[in-house]
Amino acid sequence: MPVIRVAILGAAGWMGRVHTMAFQTFPHFFGMADGTAEIAALVVTDAQAGAGLPGVAPGTRILTDWRDAVSDPDIDLIDICLPDHLHYPVAKAALLAGKHVFCEKPLADTAAEAKELADLARAKGLSTRVGHAFPRNPVHDLAKEIITSGEIGEVRLFKGCQHVDMFGDPSAPFMWRADGALAPTGIVGDTGSHVFSFMEFLVGRVQSLVADTMILTPRRPVLAGSALGSAGDGLTGQEDWAEVTNPDAAHILCRFENGARGIVDFSRVATGRKFRQGYEVYGTKGSLIYDYDEVNRLRFYTNEDRVGRRGFRQIDVGPEHPTYRAFLPLPNFALGYNETKIIEAAEVIRSITHGVPMWPTFDTGHHICQIVDACMESGRRQTWVDIDLAG
């Protein structure tokens, strides 16, 4: 049974805790025949941030410098759960040190950086993974199966969205996600990349787009200790205010390589939308609709039904799909976000132990960064932008 020794960077944050949980628990659901993980190090920004981690992963070293994990010859996999601006330099250092890399999205701040990482990983024969976990919900494997089999015909139109309201209140406090120095692409790389991952997984690569990117609340109060989900309660009027320097929202029209068209929107200011995610795929013979509020349900329409009986049917994904069956014996019990991260962790280990790439790799991450780059450029230039699919 191969054992992959993992260092989780950014272990004290929300995503770092999720990754820690996923690597610890996936053998309970998927077994250890394809290998298992040992959490060898948890890396935090300072000792105080890691004070509670020894109880979460007993015996694991707590480090305060990611370089110590990258240079450790006993660590096989570097798992990056750090702010966006650190993804590229840390991933590059890890690849140069001969480590496999699992990096949260976005892979890099630019497509050029993402391509450099993908090329470096390929040259060194290392396994890579980008943290686009949402499409690993087995309901999306079903959607891809229906599309690939031709059951809805030739795909003509994709509509996708993702909205949250973490910045819906103008008094919600400033955090690094609104700082263009730390997260240069804002909501485009943060939330938009999730929609782009569905597009790449289900329909194919995007070859051109036009985007309207926007900052809707230009300034936010600075409150000590604020984090994702913090509210602006208790403002005294004496707070400092910081400029928001990356996009809050975007609207996009796009053209796919295969001729399909796309309409996409996403934001972090949709008041009341705690988490809205969905897509619609329209083909020449049928269509699919997905809504995260019904997390394991797909709606399917086909012209194969006779006239007078046509309509959307609801398909609840269940134990006929192996990744669902690993968790639950009955349909409609619902797999949520943490389960998709557990699936992801199991696939990361399997790709390393078997030497077989599993979607989404750094090559996938590169194309998604190309879409992000094109959105940012189009937003600045107010025009259509082509994507170099050969580059």
Side-chain angles (χ1 to χ4, degrees):
M1 176 192 67
V3 178
I4 304 301
R5 291 171 56 83
V6 184
I8 298 175
L9 282 53
W14 166 48
M15 195 50 57
R17 297 195 304 271
V18 171
H19 281 227
T20 301
M21 173 278 300
F23 280 116
Q24 289 173 323
T25 58
F26 84 80
H28 294 281
F29 304 101
F30 293 97
M32 295 185 287
D34 294 316
T36 190
E38 175 188 337
I39 299 177
L42 297 174
V43 183
V44 296
T45 54
D46 57 68
Q48 183 178 357
L53 293 179
V56 173
T60 299
R61 287 183 300 145
I62 309 299
L63 306 175
T64 55
D65 189 335
W66 60 264
R67 296 170 186 82
D68 293 336
V70 167
S71 63
D72 188 337
D74 292 331
I75 288 174
D76 306 301
L77 171 65
I78 297 294
D79 181 357
I80 303 170
C81 302
L82 297 167
D84 297 359
H85 72 295
L86 293 173
H87 290 188
Y88 164 75
V90 175
K92 182 177 180 179
L95 292 170
L96 289 171
K99 311 296 187 187
H100 307 289
V101 181
F102 176 20
C103 182
E104 266 303 327
K105 55 78 198 167
L107 174 57
D109 288 339
T110 68
E113 291 177 346
K115 184 178 188 301
E116 182 184 353
L117 295 176
D119 290 345
L120 180 58
R122 196 180 310 108
K124 287 186 165 287
L126 295 166
S127 293
T128 60
R129 181 76 172 226
V130 185
H132 292 293
F134 285 112
R136 300 313 307 127
N137 178 340
V139 72
H140 307 302
D141 289 330
L142 173 61
K144 186 175 180 68
E145 177 188 322
I146 290 171
I147 293 168
T148 303
S149 69
E151 290 179 69
I152 65 169
E154 181 182 341
V155 174
R156 293 289 177 81
L157 178 64
F158 173 93
K159 295 180 67 178
C161 71
Q162 185 165 317
H163 294 274
V164 295
D165 72 348
M166 68 179 190
F167 281 160
D169 183 347
S171 67
F174 187 85
M175 62 175 298
W176 69 264
R177 292 174 187 267
D179 186 343
L182 301 181
T185 60
I187 199 65
V188 181
D190 188 9
T191 288
S193 63
H194 286 309
V195 184
F196 303 155
S197 72
F198 281 120
M199 294 158 64
E200 208 273 351
F201 183 66
L202 296 173
V203 182
R205 297 192 299 175
V206 173
Q207 68 177 16
S208 62
L209 61 80
V210 62
D212 181 20
T213 60
M214 61 205 83
I215 295 173
L216 298 176
T217 303
R219 300 171 69 245
R220 293 192 174 276
V222 177
L223 298 179
S226 61
L228 186 64
S230 296
D233 300 335
L235 294 181
T236 65
Q238 304 302 311
E239 292 79 17
D240 291 330
W241 288 71
E243 299 293 325
V244 174
T245 51
N246 57 29
D248 285 321
H251 300 149
I252 300 165
L253 301 177
C254 70
R255 301 177 181 128
F256 290 87
E257 185 180 24
N258 60 12
R261 302 300 176 100
I263 304 170
V264 177
D265 56 272
F266 44 83
S267 79
R268 59 192 182 192
V269 293
T271 304
R273 288 292 194 183
K274 303 308 176 186
F275 187 83
R276 166 79 175 101
Q277 181 191 81
Y279 60 75
E280 303 173 7
V281 185
Y282 296 102
T284 53
K285 298 195 300 184
S287 56
L288 299 171
I289 297 177
Y290 173 74
D291 186 334
Y292 192 86
D293 285 350
E294 298 175 303
V295 67
N296 300 137
R297 177 173 291 167
L298 193 66
R299 284 178 164 78
F300 172 46
Y301 178 95
T302 175
N303 286 342
E304 294 297 316
D305 291 342
R306 66 185 178 90
V307 175
R309 295 294 184 271
R310 292 177 181 173
F312 282 95
R313 67 189 64 169
Q314 298 179 170
I315 305 173
D316 289 326
V317 171
E320 68 276 9
H321 295 272
T323 50
Y324 185 100
R325 184 170 63 246
F327 296 93
L328 295 167
L330 298 172
N332 205 29
F333 272 30
L335 301 186
Y337 181 76
N338 284 347
E339 284 85 0
T340 65
K341 299 304 280 189
I342 293 170
I343 293 168
E344 186 177 59
E347 291 180 346
V348 167
I349 297 302
R350 192 184 316 151
S351 70
I352 294 172
T353 60
H354 289 270
V356 177
M358 298 190 73
W359 187 96
T361 66
F362 278 14
D363 286 311
T364 313
H366 168 231
H367 179 59
I368 291 172
C369 284
Q370 285 184 303
I371 301 174
V372 173
D373 270 11
C375 288
M376 299 300 289
E377 180 182 351
S378 177
R380 287 190 299 269
R381 293 174 49 203
Q382 302 271 293
T383 188
W384 281 86
V385 172
D386 293 331
I387 294 174
D388 180 9
L389 297 180

